[in-house]
Structures are given as structure tokens and as C-alpha cells.
Amino acid sequence: MKETKYKEIHNYLKGQIQKGNYQVGDYLPSENELCARFSITRTTARKALDELTRESFIERQHGKGSRVKERRQSLGLLNVKGFSEAVGENIKTLFLKKPAAGKWGSEIMVPVNENDLNSDCIYFERIRFVGYEPVMREKNWFSGQVLPDFLDSEFIEGSFFKTLSKKYFIEITGSTQELRAELACEKNSQLLKISPGSPILHISVKFYTSNPKLNIYSELYCVTSVYPVGNSYFI
Amino acid sequence: MKETKYKEIHNYLKGQIQKGNYQVGDYLPSENELCARFSITRTTARKALDELTRESFIERQHGKGSRVKERRQSLGLLNVKGFSEAVGENIKTLFLKKPAAGKWGSEIMVPVNENDLNSDCIYFERIRFVGYEPVMREKNWFSGQVLPDFLDSEFIEGSFFKTLSKKYFIEITGSTQELRAELACEKNSQLLKISPGSPILHISVKFYTSNPKLNIYSELYCVTSVYPVGNSYFI
DNA sequence: TCATAATACTTGTACGTACAAGTAATATTT
DNA sequence: AAATATTACTTGTACGTACAAGTATTATGA
């Protein structure tokens, strides 16, 4: 069970960023500094930093250093940081159901892991507003087995993903999605203030995380007439 | 205008793959072979191969070698290889308009580059079927200035992106997308054999390519009731 | 004072070496 | 004949060195 040196450095630095010891915009120690501090060569230091770059925790600047980045690479459709950065600034959130023990919903469209189904489920539901316009209803399910004390406190900066990262050091590592255009049901048309029968974008997401025991299932219902759902991708 | 060595090797190998001199499943020359053939060190050879890995042209296998991969990483929503691999096998395509000189459509929802607007436009339009069910109408626009002889021959293996790669050595490097749920217009309901007023998923895509002068604009109208649009992403 | 040069940092590329570890065919032993 | 050991490859990790090139501050000279 021996870990390689570059992974050790990589994990150390990642942890420091997650704990907030290095904030967005800060520069990590230089390669030479890492060499001295951890008794490694530049090859090893660079490999650790290159890995952080690949995961887009940092960006490297020739002649300057490695700077901590805002980590919002697109995971398919949505940002890992959640809804806020995807649309804009004037975002408000209303909890319809605060996080609490619940049941795995039958409306989950993607296959749910056996393991998840056999463990306790935490559920919460929100509506997102741009200004005073509701634009998305969001239902979320996940297994509570790996998140002790989750129900005891509020979200960090109002963000579920930030809470995962800063409190539990869990990162989103992937997702699968299904997209459907549907007609709004009675409930959704009420909540989203649109006429029944309006078209609605239904997104079913399964998020994978750095903890193999934690997957997050979300069903999103989006009003796209004014704010289309957007996404970018670059190699 | 000096190129680095690892980029030289990287481009050479990429070209060989694109030309088909190395097919999917083939193994590239080993690191030591590259060292001998190009008079470089393993550091440099590895860097070139690592770059190809990052672009997912190859996958490396400890103790075996570097194998050419099927390149179908998701670019946001759709595969770079196009629609075929996204849904399944039983795909048919019907051209409503074969590629020909056309005008930049007013229905393009993403911003079109100034440069593109000022050059000749090639347009083509297709309908995709799963079995005998139409599932997507696809409108495509791009500047013809960088694709000589494009109108003279058919698509390679019926795929636009494969034609770009194999004939012109141009790869997709990114995309931006906008998604909307809409009600099918008269025309779309006819073409897609759904009743007028059915919900439809409207995807507006701008593809960026390895040639800065070539961007591809697509407007996709998808029937998602049976075949939802899917996508996966992993770090 | 202000433009220029020197400097001390940073990361980027490339060299070379050594050994660990995975793979697969061949040779050896039981 | 079958299990085992050897071997010759492969990629992975890590060491060390050298110089190029970008950045920013400090020192110098007109």
C-alpha cells in the first residue's frame, strides 16, 4: 500500500487548496520550494503540479508560478460549483425541502446503484430564481452513509458542492446525463410560474465523486425560454 | 518560429493516426523505439505520448504499449464522431439538403464570428432516424474557405467529423452550447412525425476546430420522448 | 527623472541514468 | 505435460543536470 511521491505531494497540495489554506488567486509554493521542502526533484514536483493542472485546481504561468483557479470546469452540462456560476449573479434559492432523511424517488431516470438503494437516503429540493423569475426546480438524492453530521449544519456559501469539497474533501469526478424536452406537469407549472403544457427541459444527472460510495442523483426541471441552459467544452 | 521537439513528435504521431497508418487498436512505436528513431530521450518521447493521451488519441498500458483509441470523448453533449455513436447502431440518415453554397441562417442562436459572416457559407441539412423513427433534424453551417473540394465528394463513412479528420486533418477542439425546450413548429412536426405542439429539445452548438478559421454552427431539433439525449463526462 | 540593463526569481524543454513494475513469450524444472 | 522460472520487452517513477524563456524587481547610466 505504498503511495508514490508525486501523488503524496499532489494530495497534500489538493488538501491545502480544499481547506482554503490556498485561496483562489493565491500562488502555490514554487517548484524549487517544493523540492526543498519535501526532498524531491523538480521532475516529481512538476508531475504533482501537472496533475493539479489537469484537474484544473491550478493554472501554471510561465515565469510566475502556479495559481489556484476558480474550479468551474463544465461537467457535461453544469458547473461543478453548481447552478450559480452557470447563469449569472442575481441568483436566489428557495428550499422546498431542506435536507432530511427521505426515500429514493421513483422519478430518478438514471440507474441507481444497488449499494445506494440499500442505504439511507438524504433528499432535498430547491427552486432557483434569476431575479424574481423561477428558472429551475431541483430534486436531489444521495446516500447519507459517508457524510456524517450532514443534516446538522447549513450549506457552505449556500452551495452543496462547496460543502462537499470544503467540509468533506469530496470532489465531483464525473457525471452521466439524460435530457428530455417535456410538457410541464401541474406541479412544475405552479412552482415555475408557467402555464401548464409549456415546454420544459428535464435533465437527469448522476454525479460521481471522489468517494466511490457517494453518488448524487438529481432531477432538474428548467424553464429555458429566457435563460437557456448553457455549457462549454474545450480540450 | 521554432517548434519544440515533443510537439514535433506529437504532431507526427497524430498525423499518422489521422492518416490511418495506425488504426484503432494498433500499438504505436514504443518509447525506446521513438528515442532511437528521432534521436530524443525518453523524457521527450513520453511528453509527446502523454499529450496524445490527454487528447485521448491513445491509451497507455503499463508493460504493453500505447494503443490507438476510438476517439469519442464527449464534447459537451455530442460525441466528436457525431450522432451515430451517441445513440446506437440502427441509425439512418436522410439528406434534406446536400452540402452546397448557402447563407448564414438567421436561426443560428450562438454568436457567429465576424470572419465567418464575411466568407462564403456551406450549408447542409439532415434528418437522423433510429430505425424508421425520425429523432433529430440537423442544420449545419460553416465557412467553406478552408475546405477545398469539399463539395466534390461524399462524406467519409457518412460522417462529417470523420471527413474533417481524415481528409483535412482538422479536429474538434471545443464547443459551446445552448439548450432549450420548445414546442415543435409546423415544419419540425412534419419532418419529425410528431404532432404540432409536441415538446422538442433545441440544441444550438458552435464547434471550434484545430483550424482557427473553421467553426461549425449547428441547430439540432431532437425528439426526446423515446431516445433522450445523453452524455457522460469523467475527469 | 526616466529609460535601460542587470538580477533573481519563476516555469518550460531536454538531456541522461537507474530501477521498479507489468506483460508475454520462452526456457527450465518438476 | 504442466507448473515454474527466466528473459526480454514494455511503461512508470524518480533521481540529477543544464539551459531557455518569461516575469518582476532592482540597479545602473544617460
Side-chain angles (χ1 to χ4, degrees):
Chain A
M1 187 82 183
K2 202 192 97 198
E3 210 181 30
T4 57
K5 284 196 185 182
Y6 83 87
K7 277 184 189 160
E8 198 182 313
I9 313 298
H10 166 256
N11 282 330
Y12 167 76
L13 292 171
K14 188 151 101 178
Q16 290 297 307
I17 293 171
Q18 288 172 325
K19 282 177 201 160
N21 294 351
Y22 294 102
Q23 306 266 349
V24 171
D26 290 354
Y27 285 89
L28 294 187
S30 75
E31 295 173 358
N32 285 322
E33 236 173 296
L34 290 174
C35 294
R37 210 188 288 176
F38 294 98
S39 307
I40 53 175
T41 53
R42 260 189 79 204
T43 316
T44 308
R46 280 184 70 79
K47 190 151 185 178
L49 292 169
D50 284 346
E51 187 69 8
L52 287 174
T53 306
R54 198 185 61 78
E55 295 172 329
S56 74
F57 278 98
I58 62 171
E59 61 187 348
R60 322 206 53 189
Q61 296 168 303
H62 192 176
K64 292 190 77 174
S66 303
R67 191 165 56 173
V68 177
K69 251 177 61 173
E70 186 70 69
R71 194 159 176 274
R72 57 165 79 176
Q73 81 276 33
S74 59
L75 277 167
L77 267 190
L78 297 171
N79 290 339
V80 278
K81 285 190 59 194
F83 189 69
S84 324
E85 288 75 9
V87 179
E89 296 304 314
N90 194 17
I91 296 283
K92 294 185 190 68
T93 302
L94 172 69
F95 273 89
L96 292 183
K97 287 216 174 70
K98 290 226 172 195
K103 284 180 185 170
W104 296 98
S106 60
E107 60 267 60
I108 303 178
M109 302 294 282
V110 295
V112 181
N113 288 19
E114 191 73 27
N115 196 337
D116 288 330
L117 282 175
N118 292 330
S119 67
D120 291 334
C121 171
I122 293 181
Y123 176 75
F124 69 96
E125 183 176 342
R126 299 188 283 191
I127 294 209
R128 303 303 188 96
F129 295 79
V130 176
Y132 294 97
E133 297 293 321
V135 294
M136 182 170 85
R137 179 188 184 190
E138 177 197 297
K139 298 178 168 194
N140 305 284
W141 297 262
F142 58 94
S143 160
Q145 61 185 334
V146 292
L147 301 180
D149 312 325
F150 185 82
L151 301 178
D152 299 347
S153 52
E154 302 280 313
F155 285 179
I156 294 175
E157 297 175 43
S159 163
F160 178 49
F161 289 125
K162 243 178 199 164
T163 307
L164 286 185
S165 173
K166 305 248 177 201
K167 186 169 176 187
Y168 300 100
F169 308 131
I170 293 175
E171 303 289 329
I172 305 295
T173 56
S175 71
T176 62
Q177 305 177 347
E178 293 181 10
L179 297 108
R180 293 175 178 83
E182 296 177 350
L183 300 180
C185 65
E186 187 65 29
K187 179 92 177 176
N188 278 333
S189 64
Q190 280 173 17
L191 290 171
L192 296 170
K193 290 185 196 160
I194 53 178
S195 48
S198 295
I200 211 169
L201 175 57
H202 178 186
I203 308 179
S204 308
V205 201
K206 178 178 183 177
F207 289 105
Y208 303 90
T209 74
S210 49
N211 185 323
K213 287 188 177 174
L214 179 65
N215 306 297
I216 299 144
Y217 304 86
S218 298
E219 297 293 323
L220 314 174
Y221 304 91
C222 308
V223 178
T224 58
S225 46
V226 180
Y227 300 101
V229 172
N231 149 272
S232 293
Y233 182 92
F234 297 98
I235 287 183
Chain B
M1 185 86 183
K2 204 193 97 199
E3 210 181 27
T4 57
K5 284 196 185 182
Y6 83 87
K7 277 184 191 160
E8 197 181 313
I9 313 298
H10 167 256
N11 282 331
Y12 166 76
L13 291 171
K14 188 151 100 178
Q16 291 296 307
I17 294 171
Q18 288 173 325
K19 283 178 201 159
N21 294 350
Y22 294 103
Q23 306 266 349
V24 171
D26 289 354
Y27 285 90
L28 294 187
S30 75
E31 295 173 359
N32 285 322
E33 237 173 296
L34 291 174
C35 294
R37 208 188 290 177
F38 295 99
S39 306
I40 52 174
T41 53
R42 261 190 79 202
T43 316
T44 308
R46 280 183 70 78
K47 190 150 186 181
L49 292 169
D50 285 346
E51 188 69 7
L52 287 174
T53 306
R54 199 185 60 79
E55 296 173 327
S56 75
F57 278 97
I58 61 170
E59 61 187 349
R60 321 205 56 189
Q61 297 169 302
H62 192 175
K64 292 190 76 175
S66 303
R67 191 166 57 173
V68 177
K69 251 177 62 171
E70 186 71 65
R71 194 159 176 274
R72 57 166 77 178
Q73 80 276 35
S74 60
L75 278 167
L77 266 189
L78 297 171
N79 290 340
V80 279
K81 284 190 60 194
F83 189 67
S84 324
E85 289 74 10
V87 179
E89 295 305 313
N90 194 17
I91 296 283
K92 292 185 191 69
T93 302
L94 173 68
F95 273 89
L96 293 183
K97 288 216 173 67
K98 290 225 171 193
K103 285 181 183 168
W104 296 100
S106 59
E107 60 267 60
I108 303 178
M109 301 296 281
V110 294
V112 181
N113 288 20
E114 191 72 27
N115 195 338
D116 288 330
L117 282 175
N118 292 330
S119 66
D120 291 334
C121 171
I122 293 181
Y123 176 75
F124 67 96
E125 183 176 342
R126 300 188 282 191
I127 294 207
R128 303 305 190 94
F129 294 79
V130 176
Y132 294 97
E133 297 292 323
V135 294
M136 182 170 86
R137 179 188 183 190
E138 177 197 298
K139 298 178 168 194
N140 305 283
W141 296 262
F142 59 93
S143 160
Q145 60 183 335
V146 292
L147 302 180
D149 312 324
F150 185 83
L151 301 178
D152 299 346
S153 52
E154 301 281 310
F155 285 180
I156 294 176
E157 296 176 43
S159 162
F160 178 49
F161 288 126
K162 242 179 200 163
T163 308
L164 286 185
S165 174
K166 304 248 177 199
K167 185 169 177 187
Y168 300 99
F169 308 131
I170 293 175
E171 302 290 330
I172 305 294
T173 56
S175 72
T176 63
Q177 303 177 347
E178 292 181 10
L179 297 108
R180 294 175 177 84
E182 296 176 350
L183 299 180
C185 65
E186 186 65 29
K187 179 90 176 176
N188 278 333
S189 65
Q190 280 173 17
L191 290 171
L192 297 169
K193 290 186 195 160
I194 52 177
S195 49
S198 296
I200 210 168
L201 175 58
H202 178 186
I203 308 178
S204 308
V205 200
K206 177 178 182 177
F207 289 104
Y208 303 90
T209 73
S210 49
N211 185 323
K213 288 188 177 175
L214 179 65
N215 306 297
I216 298 144
Y217 303 86
S218 298
E219 298 292 325
L220 315 174
Y221 304 92
C222 309
V223 178
T224 58
S225 47
V226 181
Y227 301 100
V229 172
N231 149 272
S232 292
Y233 183 92
F234 297 99
I235 287 184

